[in-house]
Amino acid sequence: MSDDRHPLFKPLILVGGLIFGFGLGFSQMARPEVVLDFLQFEDLGLLFVMFGAAVVSGIGFAVMPRVWNAAPLTGTGYERRLKSFDRNVLIGGAIFGVGWGLSGICPGAAYASLGTGNVTILWALAGMFLGAYLQGYWRSRATNIDAVTTGAD
């Protein structure tokens, strides 16, 4: 499979990641204790960080399709990917929320926290990878069982 993306695609993704990581570190969102204070309604500063990100993203999603017919670096058309709100979304969101509340960190902020020198965050990252692996294993097993059951009918 050839990579038909614009030559600046990967460098710009790197720059975007640098800006994202710097912003998480600068806003203190990479510190689990600050996130836990936010989740306990003791420090609502992160609400402004998330609101700012939502405004910038919302403007980008509203304006970009009107300015260009396709994404400048990939050439793919803009389209909505609709995901139905089902039981898996509800259960997965609840599990994610419990993990976020227990660890005080979400995946993007965990990497930024590692970058700020928080080495103990490796435990949370290991847990995230292990949880994602177990969910993938469980889902592939359930899919295989469904395929065998359906094929037997």
Side-chain angles (χ1 to χ4, degrees):
M1 183 167 109
S2 66
D3 192 7
D4 296 334
R5 292 184 175 145
H6 193 280
L8 292 177
F9 181 76
K10 289 181 183 177
L12 282 175
I13 294 297
L14 176 66
V15 169
L18 287 170
I19 293 169
F20 181 69
F22 185 86
L24 285 174
F26 189 78
S27 68
Q28 304 295 312
M29 202 166 187
R31 294 181 51 207
E33 58 274 9
V34 173
V35 175
L36 289 171
D37 284 345
F38 167 72
L39 293 174
Q40 296 170 13
F41 303 109
E42 294 174 5
D43 178 4
L44 299 180
L46 293 182
L47 188 62
F48 294 106
V49 173
M50 290 190 287
F51 178 74
V55 167
V56 170
S57 296
I59 291 170
F61 280 108
V63 171
M64 291 306 290
R66 291 183 173 99
V67 175
W68 284 297
N69 290 335
L73 297 178
T74 62
T76 57
Y78 292 109
E79 58 187 43
R80 283 186 68 184
R81 182 181 147 243
L82 298 176
K83 169 74 172 109
S84 62
F85 187 80
D86 60 5
R87 183 176 60 107
N88 290 340
V89 173
L90 189 63
I91 294 170
I95 293 170
F96 176 85
V98 168
W100 189 28
L102 289 173
S103 67
I105 207 78
C106 66
Y111 290 111
S113 184
L114 185 61
T116 63
N118 183 0
V119 180
T120 57
I121 203 69
L122 286 171
W123 287 103
L125 285 169
M128 282 187 258
F129 277 101
L130 182 60
Y133 175 80
L134 290 173
Q135 191 282 329
Y137 177 78
W138 175 75
R139 176 158 296 184
S140 67
R141 230 176 135 218
T143 302
N144 290 340
I145 290 170
D146 287 345
V148 169
T149 305
T150 305
D153 288 343

